Amino acid sequence: SIKMDLLHSNGVLIIQHLQRDYRAYQDFLNFMSHVGDPRNIFSFYFPLWFQLNQVVGTKMIWVAVIGDWFNLIFKWILFGHRPYWWVHETVIYPNQSSPCLEQFPITCETGPGSPSGHAMGSSCVWYVMVTAALSYTVRWKEKSAITLHRLTWSLLWIIFWIIQISVCISRVFIATHFPHQVILGVFAGILVAEAFEHTPAIQTASLRMYIKTNLFLFIFALGFYVVLKLLNIDLLWSVPKAKKWCANPDWINIDTTPFAGLVRNLGAFFGLGIGINSEMFITSCKGKNSCKISFRVLCIAASLATLQLYNFVKIPTHTEYLFYILSFCKSAAMPLTVVALVPYCVHTLMRTTDKKCN
C-alpha cells in the first residue's frame, strides 16, 4: 500500500542518516544489539536476578517466553519487511536506483521484521528489572526518605529509556529493522511485562502447569502455522528473501528462523518448571541457605561461569529437526543449571565445609 511504502521509504532515509553520520559509534551500536538480544535473558539477567530474588527471576523467564511467543505470532500476522531486502524488492524507486544500505554480520535476520524481537525482549525484561528494583524503594516512602525514592525512581526510568532507545537505534543502524518496527517492539514488550505484574499465580505454578503452558504455546503456534499454510500463506516467506539479499551468505543464521526462537523459549520454560519443582531446588534454596549472602554470591558466580560454557556447545545446523531437538535440550539445561544444579552443588560444598569447621 502507498502508506506502507511511504513509511518504509522514510525509514530507509533514517537508516541512511544513521549509517552516514553515526559511523563512529558502530562498535557501541553493535554492542547494544547484543545487549538487546533475547538470548541474554537466559544466560545473564536470569541467573543474576534469580539468586537475588526468586520471584523476580521466575517472572523474568515467564515474561521473556510469553513475550517472545507473542512476538512470533505478531510477526506472522504483520508480514513486516526488513530494510536490507525491502530496498531491493520494492518498485517505488525509479529505474533501479535503490538506495544503498550497508549490512553487518548481525544484519541478516531471517524472520519477518515487525515488531522487533530485540526491542520487545529488551523492554519487557528491563521493565521487570526496574519495577523490581523500585519495589524495594517503596519502603523509603514511609520512612520520609521520599526525595530519595523520587530520585531513584527517576534515575531508574531514565536508564530504562536510554537502554531501550540505544537498542532501537542499533537495530535500525544495522538495517535489520525499520524505525516503526522497533517502536512497536518496545511498547509491546512493556505491555507484556505490565500484564505479569498482576499475575502472582506464576510463582506457585506446578510442573503440570509448566508442561500445560508449554504444550499450549507450541500447539497454538504450530496450529496457526498449519492453518495459514492450508490457506496457501507461507509463513517462512522471509527466509528466501534473507538468503537472496544478504551481502554475505555466512551471515545467514538458522538461529534467527521463527521456529528456532520458539523451540529455544519452550526449552527454557520447561527447564525452569523442572528446576523450581525439583527436590534439589527445595533442599538448597528453601532452607537456611536462602538467607546467606555467601550462598547467593557463590551461586551467581558459579551459574554465570557454567552458562558461559554452554556457549561453547555448538549445535549442528545441517539437519533442521536435530537442530530443534538439541536446541530445546540445551535451552532447558540453562535454567535447570541456575535453579537446581548449581545451588545444590554449592549447598553440598558449604555443608561439607561447615562439618569440617565444627
Side-chain angles (χ1 to χ4, degrees), residues 10 56 67 186 286-287 292 322:
N10 282 327
V56 180
V186 169
K286 288 290 185 201
K292 289 184 186 166
L322 182 68

Side-chain angles (χ1 to χ4, degrees), residues 179-193:
H180 68 276
Q181 298 173 339
V182 286
I183 294 167
L184 196 62
V186 169
F187 289 104
I190 292 174
L191 275 176
V192 172

Side-chain angles (χ1 to χ4, degrees), residues 188-209:
I190 292 174
L191 275 176
V192 172
E194 184 52 44
F196 276 91
E197 292 292 313
H198 312 288
T199 38
I202 59 170
Q203 297 304 332
T204 50
S206 61
L207 183 56
R208 272 185 67 185
M209 175 69 179

